[in-house]
Amino acid sequence: MLQVYGTELRSRLFLGTSRYPSPAVLTAAVKASRAQVVTVSLRRESSGERAGQGFWSIIRELGVRVLPNTAGCHSVKEAVTTAHMAREVFNTPWIKLEVIGEDDTLQPDVFGLVEAARILTADGFEVFPYTTEDLVVADRLLAAGCRVLMPWGAPIGSGRGLNNLFGLKALRAHFPDVPLVIDAGIGVPSHAAQAMELGFDAVLLNTAVAQAADPVRMAAAFAQAI
Amino acid sequence: MKILVNGAWRETGAVDLAAALQELGYGEAVVATALNGEFVPAGARPGARLTDGDRLEVLAPMQGG
């Protein structure tokens, strides 16, 4: 059974909640995926529409664990502030830490990532850093207090699968005891199966399910692939 | 005074953040707040004084990947 920050998880699939055709499809896809962890985010709330309140009730009804992200943050300061806001709203110390360094590929700014991870860990957060497969960065993130790493397979939303097999294998070999979650770039269930074959602990994906012709069947297919 | 709420200028008579949220219509909504880029926990909102030109961010859960 997968253990992350002391929590045991039966499912090795983490699912994003973004870009589904409707809330009903989102709900059905999460159930079909059998995921126990879904990623969520924060956005500006208009007092009139209160769109966020409706979304939050849907997620709470699913009874899954939430992993809030700091998507869209380009600086350490922004990411740290967003993490604090997420901890209060979602009532969890878990944070998927994203510090974006490059707008076209949404490649992580690994320097800012390490710094933000250090600050947040010291403040009691349990950090899931969205990183590259770089070994030295991984080492620094662990030294900063991270006990899970989330290397990308390929850029977010690209669906390219595991882009750098050599780098990912090296990462797995260097850190045999650290939970490693492939985050981003997974396009089809066979990519997820490949991640498991290489010994990764779990995969996190969103677009491949949300934007599939049939998101619910695709979610079920991913559940079988892992 | 005028404060910037989620990027839009709003006129408010509220003296603190808790009162401003009520006045702006957030009521009991599940939101997190930041004032001038600094997180303000819910419990600290009554003590967070507002001044003209303050930047207030009010965030709520949304879909994410």
Side-chain angles (χ1 to χ4, degrees):
Chain A
M1 201 174 281
L2 173 60
Q3 268 221 11
V4 285
Y5 289 109
T7 296
E8 290 196 337
L9 298 169
R10 287 186 312 280
S11 169
R12 292 172 182 269
L13 177 60
F14 295 12
L15 193 62
T17 57
S18 188
R19 304 177 69 201
Y20 288 80
S22 72
V25 173
L26 164 65
T27 300
V30 171
K31 287 179 179 163
S33 76
R34 301 199 287 273
Q36 293 174 288
V37 177
V38 300
T39 52
V40 292
S41 194
L42 286 174
R43 76 163 157 213
R44 286 173 166 178
E45 180 83 325
S46 125
S47 57
E49 291 177 11
R50 294 200 179 193
Q53 312 304 309
F55 168 69
W56 186 218
S57 350
I58 290 170
I59 296 301
R60 272 182 302 193
E61 280 166 23
L62 281 166
V64 289
R65 239 165 220 286
V66 293
L67 174 58
N69 67 28
T70 61
C73 292
H74 286 71
S75 69
V76 172
K77 169 82 178 151
E78 263 184 295
V80 168
T81 301
T82 302
H84 279 278
M85 296 173 91
R87 180 162 69 175
E88 182 178 89
V89 161
F90 296 111
N91 194 27
T92 173
W94 284 12
I95 191 76
K96 172 181 163 179
L97 184 60
E98 290 181 50
V99 183
I100 298 304
E102 206 281 313
D103 277 331
D104 288 334
T105 58
L106 301 177
Q107 177 155 347
D109 166 2
V110 293
F111 306 98
L113 184 67
V114 170
E115 193 184 335
R118 190 177 299 122
I119 294 168
L120 291 171
T121 301
D123 208 357
F125 283 88
E126 295 173 345
V127 177
F128 296 64
Y130 169 60
T131 185
T132 65
E133 68 277 17
D134 189 290
L135 292 179
V136 180
V137 173
D139 207 35
R140 300 287 158 85
L141 286 167
L142 295 172
C146 298
R147 287 189 278 139
V148 176
L149 299 176
M150 301 215 295
W152 64 353
I156 294 171
S158 68
R160 293 176 57 89
L162 307 182
N163 236 1
N164 177 359
L165 278 179
F166 174 78
L168 288 169
K169 284 178 183 173
L171 186 70
R172 180 69 285 179
H174 270 73
F175 303 105
D177 301 322
V178 177
L180 298 177
V181 181
I182 296 285
D183 177 8
I186 299 286
V188 289
S190 56
H191 294 155
Q194 188 184 21
M196 303 314 290
E197 284 165 14
L198 292 181
F200 285 89
D201 295 279
V203 295
L204 194 168
L205 56 98
N206 189 153
T207 309
V209 168
Q211 297 283 294
D214 186 337
V216 180
R217 283 181 67 196
M218 189 58 103
F222 271 106
Q224 287 176 22
I226 56 159
Chain B
M1 68 182 156
K2 279 189 169 175
I3 60 171
L4 199 58
V5 181
N6 287 346
W9 287 105
R10 301 283 296 262
E11 186 69 39
T12 178
V15 294
D16 62 49
L17 183 45
L21 287 180
Q22 285 299 328
E23 189 192 290
L24 293 165
Y26 288 99
E28 300 308 308
V30 178
V31 292
T33 50
L35 195 55
N36 301 318
E38 300 288 339
F39 169 59
V40 181
R45 289 175 193 156
R49 308 282 297 180
L50 295 178
T51 55
D52 197 45
D54 274 348
R55 287 177 295 115
L56 172 61
E57 291 289 323
V58 184
L59 305 188
M62 73 169 283
Q63 299 82 348

